[in-house]
Amino acid sequence: MKRSRFLLPLEIALAKDKWINIQSLTLDYAGTDLNLDIIADKLISAEQGNLKIAVEVKSFGNPSVTYDFHQAVGQYLHYRMALSYLRIERTPYLAIPEAIYTNYLTQPFFQDSLALHRVNLVTIDPSRQEIIR
C-alpha cells in the first residue's frame, strides 16, 4: 500500500501538539483487515483522561478532487464503522492538506457531504508540519 506523503508531516504536527503514542493500527473486522494510518492519544487532565483518535490521511493526489473526496469519505465511514464494531474507543478523523480544504472543500457540495456524514476533519500544512484546523 502506498504511504501518503502527508503522513510524516501529520505525525510531526501531532507530536508538536503534544499527542503521544502515535502509531499505525490494523483493524480486523471479521477477517477483513483495515489499516488505519495513525492512532494517537492526548492527556486532557487527570480527571478527564485521554483523548483517543484514529486518523486516516489523504493527500488528494489525483487530478479529480471529487474522485479523491469520494474515496476519502468512503474510507473514513468504513473505519468509523469498524471502530464501532470492534468497540474501540477512538474518535475517527480524516486528515487532508489545508490547501485542498480552502481551495475546494469549502464549496457547498463538499461541506454538505462532510456535515451529513459527520466527518471529523483535520487540515495540515505539510510544509510547516502543523495542524491548521
Side-chain angles (χ1 to χ4, degrees), residues 27-77:
L27 304 173
D28 179 357
Y29 189 115
T32 299
D33 286 342
L34 302 168
N35 298 307
L36 270 167
D37 287 329
I38 294 175
I39 60 169
D41 305 318
K42 187 175 190 179
L43 180 64
I44 299 300
S45 69
E47 301 82 38
Q48 293 178 314
N50 286 346
L51 281 178
K52 295 180 178 222
I53 61 172
V55 184
E56 180 59 22
V57 181
K58 292 296 175 201
S59 62
F60 281 69
N62 289 309
S64 171
V65 170
T66 304
Y67 176 81
D68 280 342
F69 182 77
H70 291 316
Q71 283 195 308
V73 171
Q75 200 167 359
Y76 171 89
L77 293 174

Side-chain angles (χ1 to χ4, degrees), residues 19-35:
W19 289 88
I20 59 170
N21 302 326
I22 301 167
Q23 58 189 303
S24 63
L25 176 68
T26 298
L27 304 173
D28 179 357
Y29 189 115
T32 299
D33 286 342
L34 302 168
N35 298 307

